[in-house]
Amino acid sequence: MPSGEQTYAGAGVSLATADAIVDRLRAAVASTATPAVAGAFGAFAGLFAIDDQRLLAASTDSVGSKLVLGRRGDRLRWCGADLAAHCINDVLTTGAEPLFFLDYVAANTIDVDQVAELIEGAADVCRVAGCAILGGETAELPGIYRESEIDFCGTAVGVVDRGRVVDGSRVEEGDVVVGYPSTGIHANGFSLVRKIIGDGAFDADLLLPPTRLYLEDVRALRLRADVRALAHVTGGGIAGNLGRVLPEGLGAVIDPSSWERPEVFQWLAGNGVAEDELRRVFNIGIGYCAIIPAGEAQPADRVIGRVTRDVGVSWA
């Protein structure tokens, strides 16, 4: 394993570039808008009106470079679960219920067993979520992918009544941030993980547990509280993703001592990833956030922060 401080940029990934891409594409995307488009560009899921009452919510993503370790560690089924859970979790941030899922598999050469593992993993999650897999596509692309490489992408679509949309617009100073635990790294930051591991052996059970599905958590919270915003903690960590759902002029202060981190984050720290980099890149143990009025938080809720007048998300 490499020595010295380990960073995402040093592993070849720039979070700043990802943000710049969103800004660069904003005008092109806006030029395609129709009267049915609702919500802001850059949200976790897009919204599209299907009638006066209902909106479709849609999100697309891929498993990313975690697939490399998924193959090596014989955990492709977990990677399939990652994709479905990730996309459905994004759709949930709007208040929508999942409807259906579509997938796309591409590889240098299609291995039927590997594809089956991925789809079966996605199906495990979709059955729990009541989300139908309508179909998908497979492609052999030897001129693009290296030998043995495989990629897995997907799209989830849900539906929400206009009056039930969660968009962060009603968040107020003094609201609290409720955090829901992750199973570990989930599916972001694996370019850095792979750099640390190199070609050596690794603990698949430590590094590769699939993304947690937060559907039941969100449903249960909405039954008893005024959920004003929901954030899926993916690339960019808690601060980067929570900041996406806060209204202009508001921020949040997060207390990192308010939850216990899974062991894998100690492993990352022990392999040279500094605390600031852990917070900037990984979920560090919180995979989903909800913002609710302070008076509606119950003792069992894991309150990890509070909404403030300060712009941006900071750490206590």
Side-chain angles (χ1 to χ4, degrees):
M1 294 185 181
S3 59
E5 185 173 332
Q6 302 298 318
T7 67
Y8 212 20
V13 180
S14 169
L15 292 175
T17 298
D19 292 338
I21 288 173
V22 173
D23 290 338
R24 175 70 181 271
L25 298 181
R26 193 178 301 276
V29 172
S31 72
T32 71
T34 67
V37 174
F41 174 64
F44 290 99
L47 292 170
F48 188 90
I50 51 176
D51 55 34
D52 292 339
Q53 178 71 18
R54 298 168 299 165
L55 300 169
L56 291 178
S59 180
T60 191
D61 215 309
S62 72
V63 182
S65 64
K66 184 177 183 178
L67 283 164
V68 176
L69 297 184
R71 287 198 320 272
R72 286 170 54 185
D74 193 24
R75 296 294 190 278
L76 283 179
R77 188 168 186 132
W78 283 3
C79 291
D82 270 308
L83 182 63
H86 186 113
C87 292
I88 293 171
N89 286 339
D90 276 356
V91 165
L92 293 179
T93 62
T94 66
E97 287 287 318
L99 292 174
F100 59 84
F101 179 80
L102 299 163
D103 66 82
Y104 172 77
V105 182
N108 177 289
T109 303
I110 292 295
D111 181 311
V112 174
D113 290 335
Q114 289 186 354
V115 173
E117 285 289 298
L118 290 170
I119 301 302
E120 287 164 3
D124 290 340
V125 171
C126 286
R127 282 192 298 271
V128 171
C131 182
I133 298 180
L134 289 189
E137 177 67 19
T138 59
E140 287 190 313
L141 302 170
I144 297 177
Y145 292 93
R146 290 176 294 186
E147 186 177 352
S148 80
E149 276 194 356
I150 191 167
D151 200 7
F152 192 40
C153 309
T155 298
V157 175
V159 65
V160 59
D161 287 347
R162 286 182 180 272
R164 295 276 290 167
V165 169
V166 177
D167 62 6
S169 61
R170 296 184 299 106
V171 171
E172 299 177 356
E173 182 182 8
D175 287 347
V176 295
V177 181
V178 177
Y180 292 93
S182 68
T183 57
I185 298 174
H186 284 185
N188 295 97
F190 273 90
S191 292
L192 178 49
V193 174
R194 288 173 49 230
K195 181 187 176 188
I196 293 170
I197 292 170
D199 295 326
F202 62 93
D203 185 345
D205 290 333
L206 176 71
L207 298 179
L208 304 183
T211 300
R212 178 176 167 182
L213 179 68
Y214 293 96
L215 178 59
E216 293 305 321
D217 300 292
V218 172
R219 284 174 174 168
L221 186 63
R222 296 197 77 191
L223 284 174
R224 63 172 177 83
D226 177 15
V227 177
R228 296 176 170 178
L230 293 163
H232 185 197
V233 183
T234 55
I238 296 171
N241 289 283
L242 187 61
R244 295 169 64 181
V245 300
L246 292 169
E248 186 175 353
L250 293 181
V253 176
I254 303 300
D255 179 4
S257 68
S258 59
W259 71 91
E260 293 186 10
R261 300 183 185 184
E263 180 185 355
V264 67
F265 298 108
Q266 299 172 17
W267 179 89
L268 286 165
N271 280 282
V273 183
E275 178 66 18
D276 286 349
E277 190 74 354
L278 283 173
R279 296 180 183 185
R280 194 178 72 90
V281 175
F282 299 97
N283 66 59
I284 60 171
I286 296 294
Y288 219 75
C289 295
I291 298 178
I292 63 174
E296 298 185 17
Q298 296 185 353
D301 292 328
R302 182 180 283 101
V303 174
I304 66 169
R306 188 172 297 270
V307 177
T308 67
R309 275 287 165 194
D310 297 327
V311 177
V313 179
S314 60
W315 300 90

